[in-house]
Amino acid sequence: MPELLSSDQAGSYPIRIAGNALTLHAGIVAASCCRGRRAVVVTDENVAALYYQSLRQTLEAAGFEVASAVIRPGEASKTMATALLLYEAFATAGLSREDLVIALGGGVVGDLAGFAAATYLRGIPLMQVPTTLLAQVDSSIGGKNGVDLPYGKNLVGTVYQPQAVVIDPLVLRSLNRRRFSEGLAEIIKTGLISDAELFRQIEQKTYDLEWVIDRCVRIKAGIVARDEQDHGERMLLNFGHTIGHAIELVTGFSKYAHGEAVAIGMMAAIAVGEKIGCTPAGIRERTVAVLETNGLPLRAPELKAEDLLGAVKADKKKRSDRINFVLLRELGVGFVQPMPLTEFNQVFQEVWPNV
């Protein structure tokens, strides 16, 4: 598969999508990312057991001195305390601003490694090697990173683009069904907001996985190139995430995986869109069917509307007394609707939990 280029304000960087890219291409790509030859691989315990040695070998073959920083898996690790541990690992490895940080893992690892690379020594080159479907189609692209605080998700972070992204679809074979479905939630989101054909391919189960990854990467890279700092079009990528992040926060980041919370958030957004008259009939039924087919939840009736609305107040997309909420105008066409918080609260309470 050809190499893609993602553009940002500072230039562009390559995105390589290919089977066995982790073992065949990662070292070569890493060598093109920096002038130094020290690298720290940030990963988690699960991914390290599967892929760290293979990545280390290809990096050493390219001339790197390699160290690792291994964190505990899961959203609970996405904290300032863990970021401090990464800084310690960078210092111990003797990283300079000419060396390299490599994120090997899913969204949590990518967020943490990106945040630490962006802030240590005011910026160290970063390469993303995503190992989950969610990270390959979404979180490794676009430069957003951050850590959670007790009162909200991703409240501390930066927009810091990697020097390269290496995507190996073959590593997805190690994912269990739940983690694979979690990534499909982000793919379904992409189809709903910007690509009806992508949605239909998932709906009809006629898709080729590499085609889907390539399509999602191209869509997100294009949006980021046009709106890197998230002031306009990039907000569309938050479809389902306002309520999804609230669900994760209220449940202590333990009951629902990120993609599962986003799936429920998408259903809530569709219900809000129907309630205010902008989302046409038929989208709900098709979305329900595709989410159910792929093992994703539709609602969380055990959660109270007022608790979720309290969490929404801490969301990054809130602006003073209004919120930028992403809705659907038709299948494949999303738009950002600024809503006064009082109006949003009323509508949400009317549709929850029977979204």
Side-chain angles (χ1 to χ4, degrees), residues 103-127:
L104 174 68
V108 169
V109 166
D111 274 5
L112 271 167
F115 176 73
T119 50
Y120 187 72
L121 301 181
R122 297 197 178 111
I124 295 179
L126 169 71
M127 185 171 86

Side-chain angles (χ1 to χ4, degrees), residues 72 114 292:
R72 298 184 67 178
E292 286 186 327

Side-chain angles (χ1 to χ4, degrees), residues 17 20 37 47 53 69 91 93 132 202 245 247 286 290 292 326 334:
I17 306 172
N20 293 311
R37 283 299 175 266
V47 176
Q53 290 303 328
T132 66
I202 302 299
H245 286 172
I247 290 169
R286 293 178 69 179
V290 76
E292 286 186 327
V326 185

